[in-house]
Amino acid sequence: MSDQAPVPDPEQTLGTVDTPTSTMMGRYRVVDRLGAGGMGVVFRAQDEKLERVVAIKMLAPGVLSDEARRHFRHEALALARLNHSRIAAVYDAGEQEGSDYIVMELVSGESLAHKLRSGPMPLKDATALVIQIAEALEEAHEQGIIHRDLKPANVMVTTKGNAKVLDFGIAKLLAPVDATHSLDATNGLVGTPRYMAPEQAQGAKVDARTDLWSLGVLYYEALTGKVPFEGSGIFALLRSITEDPYPTLRKINPELPGEASAIINRCLQKDPTLRYQSGAAFIDDAQALLNRLNGVTPADSTSNRRLRWIAAGSITLLLALCVGGYFFYRRSVERSWAREQAPSQIAALIDAHQPIAAFHTLQRAQRDLPGDPGLAKLYDQYIYSGIKILSDPPGAKVEIQDLQDPGSPWLTLGTTPINAIDIPSGSLRWRVSKAGVGQMVIAPATDGTMQFALAVETQAPPGMVYADADPGWREFADFIGWLGPYKMPAYFVDRHEVTNRDYQAFVDAGGYEKPQYWPTEFPQNGKTLSWTQAMPLFRDDTGRPGPSTWTGGHYAEGQADFPVTGVSWYEATAYATFVGKTLPVLAQWYETAPPDQAQNAILAGNISATALKPVEASHQLGPFGTYDTAGNAREWLANTVDRDLRFLLGGSYRSPGYLYDDPEALSPFDRSDTNGFRCVKSLGPIPAEASAPLIRTTRDFASYKPVSDEVFNAYKLLYSYPDTPLNAKSEGIVKETADYREEKVSFDAAYGGERMFAYLFLPKRVQAPYQTILFFPSARVLFLPPDSSHLGDTKFFDYAVQSGRAVIYPIYKYMYEREQRLSLPGGRNDNEIIDWYKDAARSLEYLQTRKDLDSTRVAYMGVSMGSADGVIIATLLQNQLKTVILLDGGFFMVQGAKGIDQADFAPRLKLPTLLVNGRYDYTFPVERAQDPLFDLLGTPPAEKSHVILDTPHDVTEQRPQLVKAVLDWLDQYLGRLN
């Protein structure tokens, strides 16, 4: 057997995986299958980026728990830092078709397990081999990594007869994770039973001595062809390991020397304190045995002085040669690592948001291989050079930390002023401090000159941070247009949202009984309420003054440090006046939470989550030191828009990621349970234009003339694709409930030689063939992890499945694992919508291959992005559809490019169409976006309906009304279900 191919282990029952249906696994092109083992399958592959051959071990589905998968990549990166000639290097980790994989060095040769099939090894060969294995263990143990599953199948013997240890730490990655065991723990029953140490068999703590027991078992097997402990079953085997003696080496083969028996006996002591305490100690004894076998003995004593001097000189020369040889060998290993392994390790660290570790790795590689052009290119790509760092006052200590890992070590850069320094180009947390002055912790964008106003920062009022505003500030905001330029003053801003504890002080001080804190007029539905008329609207669920989420004029127990929520814009404004502050204007918000930091903010913030968190719990840090501008509570701003509405920004914990910087606008009376706020204290006058009511971007659809049929037919050519086989395959059932089963399928995409996945939700309570909904999600899924096993937006259609209809949810291009990227509605490129159409069309082709799906009764359902772009997709597919349902959609306010403008397609959509929207949807407002789309639809008036719910841009906030509207529509146009 050649190359890296693990021998199947009958004691492992983790399952296997098939050859992947796609020839690509990330950037790796699969060449052929090398072999299979208990954990999965090993493939030979070509690294297309670094142009080298690698081995990929694809783990069987289900090997890793959900929690373990989240730690898998982090642990694999730790293993990638091992650098030793006796250890097969780990390069990368990823996921393909629901299975996790590890990318490793491809080792030519055969496994020790395969080698031992022909019988025991000669003593000299076996001893030399275990010394090499012990060297690998010693290196790993020094790095704090325990193998946990050392066995012959995990040792490769190269074509030159040298040992390479595979799968270092893989057993740790496969460890069960529960309430008491984490991936960072060393407990748990993990490994292959015949090679387990007693403490491992008992689920106790393991350490380096555990690996040395396994090494003793391996040495024993190499010399005898047998393992020292056997049992009729797994429990009998484990009991034998923990309680029974083993047949000594001399009993199995009396010709083997006592030294070998003594080495193995010391390894196999049941008490770890009696074993070898390190790999080095094992090597000393095994090397002494090997020296004797090779005829190397200590020099005899002699009285001949001349011989002693000759011997001494020879020894000195030999030592010099050994030292020189060692350093030459070490230098060769270091250069090989820098050339072959460092680039992929650096790229993996950058992908894992660990720029400082990538920086250290790159610097080490350049020391080992100076002048290498490939490393120089990486340095230019990942490092900012010549950064100048200043502070006021000077003499401040400057440190940086990985932004996405607040628990990682701080790297000290020096004391200001720092005239020129190289730093990582990734997202960083900066800490600037000086004794007697104070400190600041912020996350600004890196610039050529970094200036830290430490003195001003320490003057900020309690709970606030200093924001040094750009005097010529200007920004483009989605769905608003250009803001500024404004000459904005500096300001202080609350470090976090106003908490329940903070707001309780306002309530207890009689804030709801004092008109001086409140506006004098309260416009509502064309009328103006007085303060006396308005105040009864601001009561908690017991009728007491306070937020809608409170009871009896007080927040719930244990919620003191949570953001106050359930407050109207009027209540937020009154509190701000009470504490001598104001609500931020739109420009101040976008400076505090810059759109260009969206990716980092969304990754760290409490957005698209499940529950509200205490303030600062998410560790999401802004450029001025604010927390939680992404998610938790969405926050009221000062500006008026659309006459009587007010902006909220940042999104709530329930919001899609794109609402971090896309605005919402609600009635100032709205007291939803996600509404919160923070305050600012401006250090100068706010320009009138920055606080004035906003006029949104708009488009005149009434006068728009759609393109001619001739031009439209030319546009349709953009969406055409060749008629090729689907090569469809079922990937199995991924979930089963009382109402439905979820099946994953795959088939060829219409472009690029790609494979695509789709998920089928198949109802159980009705007979096949099922009416089917083709689903397209919102842009919120573009911010989800690249793992489609956790689908987003299912709340928009789950009730349809429960009603007895099937849903097909394709994994469209640029979503989940299909080259996921951050993209927002209105920010599309020309190819994006074209690829999405082709994915939808191929999904309908797939439906026709299924006898359990009725391809003659299909509805299209899109949400937000899938609704807006669904106008185009549904128009092109209408010959295969019966009806169209568009949720949270409307026209974009910016005219699309030729061939992807919704307004050219809407008049040509003739199918029965249902629009369901929110009355307070700022993304697609009623008068500007929803009504124009509805009016331009080519559907006969009697067959189109526009249902407007009292929600913002998420109609599921009134779920009963949404469910009724959609199911009634499906009953009418697909037919009622029995």
Side-chain angles (χ1 to χ4, degrees), residues 424-465:
S425 63
S427 303
L428 301 171
R429 186 183 308 261
W430 294 71
R431 183 166 67 188
V432 182
S433 59
K434 183 174 183 178
V437 179
Q439 77 169 22
M440 58 194 301
V441 180
I442 61 177
T446 304
D447 200 357
T449 300
M450 306 293 294
Q451 301 192 50
F452 298 94
L454 183 59
V456 180
E457 175 70 26
T458 58
Q459 297 172 15
M464 304 190 85
V465 295

Side-chain angles (χ1 to χ4, degrees), residues 634-654:
R634 59 185 178 184
E635 303 182 31
W636 286 110
L637 304 186
N639 298 79
T640 301
V641 63
D642 291 353
R643 297 185 299 275
D644 295 336
L645 304 183
R646 300 297 190 278
F647 280 120
L648 300 99
L649 261 83
S652 73
Y653 70 90
R654 294 201 299 252

